[in-house]
Amino acid sequence: MKEYLEDCLINYILKNYDRYKKEGFIIWLHDDYFRIKYNHKIYKVSIIKEDKKLYWKLKPYNKSYFTTEVKEYSSFENVIFAIKENDKIF
């Protein structure tokens, strides 16, 4: 799963990084997760496997966590959307 994170970073996130930066996101790749800073809050995004499917897992999210299926690199946009929504909640 670390390889998928690296591939996503290279093939999708870096290509869209200027937009993310303009929207207030800072994204770092760690060993097996992304650390994302948005509006002075730190989020951890990893990939988990359940029932032979891969999912993005975002923590914290509304006092818990958020998951969404990894379908392709662009499914990372669901994580970005969830972070923005979480920011509105709190």
Side-chain angles (χ1 to χ4, degrees):
M1 294 194 235
K2 177 182 178 182
E3 295 82 20
Y4 191 86
L5 288 173
E6 290 171 351
D7 288 346
C8 184
L9 177 68
I10 293 166
N11 294 308
Y12 190 79
I13 295 172
L14 289 177
K15 291 179 180 177
N16 293 286
Y17 196 76
D18 287 341
R19 177 174 56 91
Y20 294 141
K21 190 174 179 181
K22 286 179 186 173
E23 292 177 6
F25 291 92
I26 300 172
I27 303 169
W28 297 271
L29 175 64
H30 288 266
D31 286 338
D32 59 351
Y33 66 94
F34 290 125
R35 188 174 73 157
I36 301 175
K37 184 175 182 180
Y38 182 71
N39 282 346
H40 307 291
K41 294 179 186 141
I42 302 292
Y43 297 89
K44 179 180 176 182
V45 179
S46 57
I47 294 180
I48 59 172
K49 188 173 187 177
E50 291 182 6
D51 300 324
K52 299 181 182 179
K53 292 183 180 181
L54 296 178
Y55 294 88
W56 293 107
K57 182 176 181 180
L58 169 67
K59 286 179 69 175
Y61 180 79
N62 194 16
K63 300 180 184 176
S64 185
Y65 63 90
F66 169 84
T67 61
T68 186
E69 188 175 355
V70 174
K71 295 184 179 179
E72 54 193 35
Y73 297 137
S74 63
S75 64
F76 182 76
E77 292 299 322
N78 295 333
V79 174
I80 295 297
F81 179 80
I83 290 172
K84 290 178 182 177
E85 288 298 307
N86 190 66
D87 191 64
K88 290 178 186 176
I89 293 169
F90 293 98

